[in-house]
């Protein structure tokens, strides 16, 4: 009988940090953004094609899904240098990635993987659409602020409480 790896066997897996702010879907251990994206893509791929479910800590060496996990993780590291994390994650969950299950593919290059060109294009397209949407929102908010500035605003009349000769004000002055 083989020993199962211990849960939370490293100190950094127990605590949240800036680099390990996500949690593995399978184990609940803290992990990096790249590992979380790779795990999410592998699980989605396995569920879509009704393949054998991944084992506990399937990203460890020797597991069936180790190589696809590593390729996705390396590609996610490269994408994280080009785009921010929120954009990548939102693109993967959007309709652009509906039938894309890997962002890293096999290659005969020295590094052993390459970007999936369809996935890379999907992230670029999502990023472009998202930036265009933000520009439209900025223009609309600027137009609204201009229309508000043109109106004459009424000043509120303030009342001074110190001028009244009440017993509370007399006590305050003591």
């Amino acid at each position: 009988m083989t020993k199962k790896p211990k849960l939370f066997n490293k100190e950094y897996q127990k605590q949240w940090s800036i680099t390990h702010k996500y949690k593995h879907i399978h184990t609940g251990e803290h992990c990096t953004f790249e590992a979380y994206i790779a795990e999410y893509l592998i699980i989605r791929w396995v569920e879509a094609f009704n393949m054998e479910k991944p084992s506990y800590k399937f990203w460890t060496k020797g597991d069936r899904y180790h190589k696809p996990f590593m390729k996705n993780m390396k590609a996610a590291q490269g994408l994280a240098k080009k785009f921010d994390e929120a954009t990548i994650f939102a693109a993967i969950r959007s309709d652009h990635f509906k039938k894309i299950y890997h962002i890293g593919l096999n290659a005969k290059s020295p590094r052993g993987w390459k970007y999936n060109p369809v996935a890379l294009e999907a992230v670029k397209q999502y990023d472009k659409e998202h930036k265009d949407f933000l520009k439209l929102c900025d223009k609309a908010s600027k137009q609204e602020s201009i229309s508000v500035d043109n109106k004459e605003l009424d000043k509120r009349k303030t009342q001074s409480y110190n001028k009244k000769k009440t017993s509370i004000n007399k006590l305050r002055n003591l």
Side-chain angles (χ1 to χ4, degrees):
M1 197 160 106
T2 60
K3 278 189 172 180
K4 201 177 196 183
K6 284 185 178 179
L7 185 63
F8 306 123
N9 55 0
K10 303 280 186 207
E11 189 61 35
Y12 66 86
Q13 294 170 335
K14 297 176 188 174
Q15 298 174 351
W16 182 93
S17 69
I18 293 174
T19 56
H20 292 80
K21 56 184 166 185
Y22 297 92
K23 285 191 174 187
H24 279 293
I25 299 167
H26 264 272
T27 62
E29 298 172 351
H30 290 278
C31 64
T32 61
F33 167 73
E34 296 86 7
Y36 183 79
I37 291 294
E39 182 181 8
Y40 177 78
L41 288 170
I42 295 294
I43 290 172
R44 205 176 86 180
W45 173 54
V46 167
E47 288 174 355
F49 291 101
N50 296 327
M51 299 167 66
E52 183 181 322
K53 293 217 179 226
S55 63
Y56 179 78
K57 290 194 175 185
F58 63 89
W59 50 87
T60 55
K61 200 167 191 175
D63 195 86
R64 176 181 178 181
Y65 298 110
H66 174 70
K67 283 188 178 182
F69 176 83
M70 291 305 292
K71 286 179 180 70
N72 281 330
M73 191 170 92
K74 295 291 182 185
Q77 285 174 344
L79 281 177
K81 293 176 184 175
K82 297 177 183 179
F83 305 101
D84 61 329
E85 293 178 1
T87 302
I88 296 169
F89 196 65
I92 288 174
R93 289 192 165 200
S94 71
D95 289 337
H96 295 284
F97 260 76
K98 193 172 187 176
K99 295 190 178 188
I100 302 172
Y101 300 101
H102 297 289
I103 54 176
L105 300 175
N106 287 334
K108 295 189 178 183
S109 64
R111 64 181 180 181
W113 65 274
K114 64 179 182 178
Y115 290 112
N116 182 351
V118 178
L120 190 60
E121 191 60 36
V123 172
K124 285 180 184 176
Q125 185 68 27
Y126 180 83
D127 187 43
K128 182 182 174 194
E129 288 177 8
H130 185 67
K131 285 181 180 176
D132 290 344
F133 177 73
L134 290 178
K135 285 180 185 177
L136 286 173
C137 291
D138 287 343
K139 285 181 183 177
S141 66
K142 286 180 184 176
Q143 289 175 353
E144 288 175 11
S145 66
I146 290 169
S147 64
V148 169
D149 291 340
N150 292 338
K151 293 179 182 177
E152 291 183 25
L153 300 176
D154 295 331
K155 288 187 177 180
R156 264 183 21 175
K157 295 179 182 178
T158 59
Q159 184 178 6
S160 175
Y161 294 102
N162 290 335
K163 292 180 181 177
K164 291 183 179 178
K165 302 227 176 197
T166 62
S167 58
I168 295 174
N169 284 332
K170 288 179 185 176
L171 288 173
R172 271 192 208 135
N173 294 333
L174 291 179

